[in-house]
Structure formats: structure tokens, C-alpha cells
Amino acid sequence: MSVHAESAVVDRFFGAIRSAARTGLGMELSAGTTIVASPDRDGSMVAVAYPFGHETIVWCSHQLRPLLEPLDGRPAMTADEFVTATTELGGRYVGAGNNRVLTRAPRQSVHARRIVGLNRDDPGHRGMIERLVDDCSDVDLIQADLHIDKLDAVIVAALDDSGEIASIASVRPWFFDHNFDDVAVITHPAHRGQGLGVATVATLSQQQQQGGQMVIYNCDVANVWSNRVATAVGFRLVNTAIAVSFV
């Protein structure tokens, strides 16, 4: 991928957030901090800020919009400034997420285990995923956003010698732009540290790129393992979103 093409992917990432904000507001954006209330977030008491350059776009529910009104129109805030400002309004920092995009072909890892596609509607495949879920902690499942009742449509898995899932990666359309596929990965506790997460994510990312999709990888900044997987595959860090709760 050329330098121009790589830059276009990054520009598309930021453009998608701006475009969604313009649609939500029904008007053009100006430099500085912009508060955007979205129906998709109604019922939530968490505000999420995307700081980049001369803009900070904050997404929240309509319930939170009046509380965050003092921030609207202020100069663009850094992550620390956003946390400080919202703390003064009664919020508390709850976490941050690294947003990465794949701007070139993934770095492939060579691994002997078989990587196969899974069908969420196939009873046998579903049973394999259920057994993986049973063996993983609630924290693992939350971080990977893996729920047996809402499996993603596109899934690949690395299988162990017994034919069970050692690692699984899946994608779903990114909520800001469906031309991006948002990838998630989880590895069975007994098979961690073997490069399987990298192998499944790289395989799936290459598959989606060849199908014309761009690929994005979002994970908590505190999730060391997930950040290492993203870096090993070749995802480029482009933004860190900040979440603040008002409950």
C-alpha cells in the first residue's frame, strides 16, 4: 500500500467520526470541543471523547447533554483536560481505548495450527464457541465483546490438536463507518503466549482487506496482551478515546 493510500485510511477514520458528528448535529463542525448527543447512547451515563488536533468530539446520551453543555465550544481538549473538566462536573474517569487502523497488509505470523472459518449458524461450530466461552473469564469475554447470543457474521479460529478452538477472531461493521470492519480476538487460556491471537487477527484482516474492507482494532489501553497483538499484526495507533461516567 502506498504512503498516499495509508494516509487515506487514516483520513477516512477521522472523517467518519466527523461525518457522524455533523449528521448528529445537523450542521457543520467548528474547531474546538463539540458535544454530540446520539440516540444510540440514550440511557447511558457515560460520555466518550475523541480528541484529535484542533477538535475534540464528545459523544453522549441526550440525558447527559445538558450536564456537558459548559464544555461545548471550548477550545479542543486533550485527554487529561477532558478528564479534569468532566471531573469538575461530577464525572469520573472509567477508561480509555486505543483506536488503531490497518494501513497496509498485515504482518503474517507462521503457525502450524490450522486456521479455519466458522459459521455462527452451524450447530457444531456454535458448540465449539460455547466451550471456549465456558473456559474464559467474564473479563476476557467483556474485553473481546464475545457473546454467544450475538456472534459476529465473520469468524476465523485457530484449532488445537484436538480440533477445539485455541484462538478466535471476528469482525463486525464499525458503528461510525461500515466500510471499516472492527476486529476482536480471544485466545483460550491454555493456549496464550503462542502467537495464536496474532495469527487469527492477521488471517482475518487479510481476508477482509482482500474483500475491499478496511480494518480497525479497538482495545482498552490497559489490555497489554490485546495491544501487543494489534502492534504485532501491524495496526497503527491513530487515536485514544476517553470515557467518563456520571454515575
Side-chain angles (χ1 to χ4, degrees):
M1 187 177 285
S2 68
V3 173
H4 175 74
E6 291 180 28
S7 177
V9 175
V10 176
D11 290 345
R12 180 66 180 258
F13 168 86
F14 289 117
I17 298 174
R18 292 188 182 101
S19 177
R22 286 195 298 270
T23 299
L25 292 171
M27 58 184 290
E28 289 298 316
L29 303 182
S30 56
T33 299
T34 303
I35 310 298
V36 184
S38 169
D40 292 339
R41 296 177 184 265
D42 283 351
S44 171
M45 296 302 288
V46 175
V48 180
Y50 290 82
F52 43 92
H54 299 295
E55 296 173 82
T56 301
I57 298 177
V58 182
W59 294 88
C60 67
S61 63
H62 285 87
Q63 294 92 328
L64 274 183
R65 180 68 175 80
L67 182 60
L68 296 172
E69 182 68 31
L71 306 184
D72 202 29
R74 285 179 46 165
M77 292 183 285
T78 65
D80 288 343
E81 289 169 342
F82 175 70
V83 172
T84 298
T86 49
T87 298
E88 292 172 353
L89 296 175
R92 62 179 179 85
Y93 169 79
V94 292
N98 284 330
N99 301 306
R100 292 180 170 89
V101 296
L102 197 56
T103 57
R104 58 183 64 191
R107 290 194 287 267
Q108 293 285 355
S109 63
V110 178
H111 207 283
R113 286 184 172 85
R114 202 160 38 110
I115 298 181
V116 300
L118 298 182
N119 183 344
R120 64 183 177 183
D121 297 319
D122 182 288
H125 292 174
R126 191 176 183 86
M128 294 165 63
I129 299 171
E130 287 176 343
R131 290 190 288 277
L132 172 68
V133 167
D134 289 342
D135 288 341
C136 292
S137 70
D138 289 342
V139 172
D140 291 336
L141 298 173
I142 290 170
Q143 290 177 339
D145 198 16
L146 177 59
H147 303 276
I148 195 64
D149 293 327
K150 57 173 188 174
L151 296 173
D152 294 329
V154 182
I155 309 170
V156 302
L159 305 183
D160 63 17
D161 294 335
S162 69
E164 292 294 329
I165 296 174
S167 184
I168 190 172
S170 63
V171 292
R172 67 188 57 170
W174 186 41
F175 49 85
F176 283 127
D177 185 342
H178 286 187
N179 288 293
F180 279 97
D181 280 333
D182 190 354
V183 63
V185 60
I186 188 168
T187 297
H188 190 285
H191 296 288
R192 293 175 184 170
Q194 301 172 29
L196 292 173
V198 174
T200 54
V201 170
T203 298
L204 183 55
S205 297
Q206 182 180 57
Q207 171 185 304
Q208 297 309 103
Q209 283 184 331
Q210 290 173 345
Q213 287 290 100
M214 294 171 285
V215 189
I216 188 169
Y217 190 111
N218 301 316
C219 68
D220 195 295
V221 296
N223 190 333
V224 176
W225 176 81
S226 193
N227 281 285
R228 286 176 178 170
V229 168
T231 300
V233 174
F235 283 87
R236 174 179 168 183
L237 179 63
V238 291
N239 186 256
T240 299
I242 312 300
V244 171
S245 174
F246 288 85
V247 294

